[in-house]
Each structure stands twice: as structure tokens, then as C-alpha cells.
Amino acid sequence: MKRKEAVVNEFFGVAVERGYFNQNPLTGLRWSAPEVADDVAPDCVPNPAQVARLLAAARALPGRGPHLKAFFGCMYYAAMRPAEVIQLPKSQCRLPTSGWGLLNLKGGVVTAGKRWIDGGDIYEIHSLKRRAVKAKRPVPIPPVLVRMLREHIERFGVAPDGRLLRNAAGTYVGAAAYGNTWGRAREAAFAFDEYALALAKRPCDLRHAGISFWLASGVDPAECARRAGQSIQVLIRFYAKFLTEARNHANSLIEESMRRWEVPTDDEEAAFAGVWPGNATEQLVRGGTLVGDMGIGYASPPAA
């Protein structure tokens, strides 16, 4: 509703500029969007083992399945949007023979329709979502995706303009094509109870699964947001459940460190007796600790 309201508001704004209206009729209109549960549910997010099964099933499918394995792999391992994967050229891929690689994302392709594009084509190349035209987003990719993309290039080559993915006619991969292939991969990979659930029901759930796995692994939320091309506010709003898991992991690490300080050894009790934040520097110096300009550096007590 917010998106449609923005479109209508822009429409009336142009009408005012051209003299059809004296003022925008939407000005002063008060409307509040109803509350919705727009966060990502854990039930629809596949784990790494399930994703591996889905990718293997997609590769085994006849037709376009083997070609689209790299498409689905980019959505999971690099948390890319479909439009970004479709437009991905080889020139933006750094694929070493071993170790981590890097994707320098610059934009994506959007299907708009001939009536809305001046050139008469149905596709239009856009910049990164909510980013400047020349903005880039470097995304490190794990070795498994590096190998996947290298194998894809070796087997299928690239399009004349350098793109990694294309349809049979050599143009852009359509949403219906990868959507149908994904549905067949789910049927082949999942057991009946898994398929009946909403687990990885849409290809976009791969992106959600990738970001969720980063957060659950303890990656800093700001770094997750940067790699995914989102604001940290959007990341926290949509992935709060998985961020909670990362926080719990961080809490356990802090608690373990605090526990080690709660039961000091006899030597530690003697060395740190009477030390508290207000007099720590003074007491530690007396115990043989050197205090420098950049902080406290521990040194052995002088020999007797």
C-alpha cells in the first residue's frame, strides 16, 4: 500500500506540474498502514544441508536446471537479489583458484514492459537498490560459490555482453523460468513433510536463508547489512529472530569470560587484591605492570 500510495502521489504531482490540477488531491490525506508481521519466519528458511540438497536437485533437472544452479547459489551464498544475479557479468567476479572470492556488484536488471521503457525493450538496467548510479557493493563469497561460478563459466561460457546467466535465446533469465525450476527442485529434493511446509517456497527465501545464516553464525549485523545491500534498521526488523540467536551466542561468550574472572587462582588473588576500576592503574603498577601511553602492558615483576 505504501508503494502504491507513492506511485499515485507521484502521478498527481506530475498532473499539478502540467496544470491539470491546482493542487495534489492527496495532500493532507491521513492514512496509516495496518500492522503486519513482515519479519522472516524461521520455518521458511532452509539450513545449509537443505540448501545443498536443493542446489544438487536443480543441477540434476533436465533443461535449464544445470544452468540455474549458479543463479540459486549466488542468491544463497552471496545473498544477492534476483535482479542482481541476472545482470551479473564476469568482469565483476574475482574468482581465485582457492580461497574466498569477491563480487563487485553494480546493479541489476528490472522487467518493466515495453510501454514503460523508451527503447521499446521489456528490460531496464538499474543501479543497486536505493543506491547512487555509480555505487558498488563488494560482497566476499566463500570457496564453495567460487568453485560453482568457475564451473559454470567453464561449462556454459558467458553471454556476448559478459553476463554469466542467460536464457536459450541469449537474453535475460525470466522470473517464470527460475521460479518454475525452483519449484521442480523442491519437489525433487524435499521429503513430503518438508515440501508441505513453506520451507524455501520461493527462490527469494535463499537470500533470506543466507542472511539468516550469517547472523546466526555471529557475524556483526552492520557487516551483514552492508553485504546484503540493506540498512541495518531493515536488517534488524526483518531478521530479528536470527539476530537473537547471534546475541545469545555473544552473551554466552561474555558470560564465559566473566566466569573466569569470578574464581581467581591464589596467585591472581594476591596480584589483583584491592584492584577496582578506580585504582586499577595504581595497583597494577605496584604489582609489576607497565602502563604506557596507549594502554596497559603486562610485564613480569622484577627479580628479587
Side-chain angles (χ1 to χ4, degrees), residues 77-283:
Y77 292 109
M80 295 173 64
R81 299 180 176 91
E84 296 169 347
V85 186
I86 294 171
Q87 178 58 21
L88 180 65
K90 183 181 178 181
S91 60
Q92 296 177 13
C93 305
R94 197 180 302 171
L95 308 174
T97 55
S98 62
W100 282 65
L102 185 70
L103 302 180
N104 286 302
L105 307 182
K106 296 181 180 179
V109 63
V110 179
T111 304
K114 295 182 178 180
R115 293 182 298 172
W116 308 105
I117 300 178
D118 295 336
D121 199 355
I122 63 174
Y123 301 103
E124 187 174 21
I125 299 176
H126 279 208
S127 60
L128 294 172
K129 189 174 182 180
R130 296 186 178 89
R131 298 294 187 272
V133 175
K134 296 184 179 181
K136 299 179 183 180
R137 188 172 87 244
V139 181
I141 57 175
V144 60
L145 182 56
V146 173
R147 292 191 298 269
M148 195 179 302
L149 293 178
R150 290 176 65 90
E151 293 172 359
H152 177 88
I153 295 172
E154 182 179 354
R155 179 175 179 180
F156 300 103
V158 296
D161 60 356
R163 284 179 296 107
L164 268 61
L165 296 160
R166 59 195 185 279
N167 59 17
T171 58
Y172 296 105
V173 177
Y178 66 75
N180 292 336
T181 302
W182 184 248
R184 293 163 56 202
R186 288 187 73 245
E187 293 178 356
F190 283 161
F192 178 79
D193 55 342
E194 293 175 315
Y195 184 81
L197 299 173
L199 181 66
K201 189 174 183 179
R202 307 168 304 161
C204 285
D205 288 331
L206 284 171
R207 171 175 158 86
H208 299 323
I211 299 173
S212 304
F213 182 70
W214 293 346
L215 290 170
S217 300
V219 180
D220 182 71
E223 177 63 11
C224 290
R226 189 200 63 76
R227 295 189 183 197
Q230 296 177 328
S231 67
I232 192 169
Q233 292 83 1
V234 170
L235 184 88
I236 293 175
R237 190 182 80 190
F238 282 92
Y239 299 93
K241 294 183 177 66
F242 304 95
L243 188 59
T244 300
E245 294 184 17
R247 286 172 178 167
N248 293 339
H249 177 65
N251 290 345
S252 63
L253 294 176
I254 296 172
E255 186 177 2
E256 177 63 25
S257 297
M258 295 177 66
R259 190 178 299 114
R260 291 199 299 267
W261 283 89
E262 289 175 356
V263 187
T265 63
D266 295 339
D267 294 339
E268 289 174 339
E269 288 180 351
F272 293 95
V275 175
W276 59 284
N279 71 343
T281 301
E282 177 184 354
Q283 294 291 339

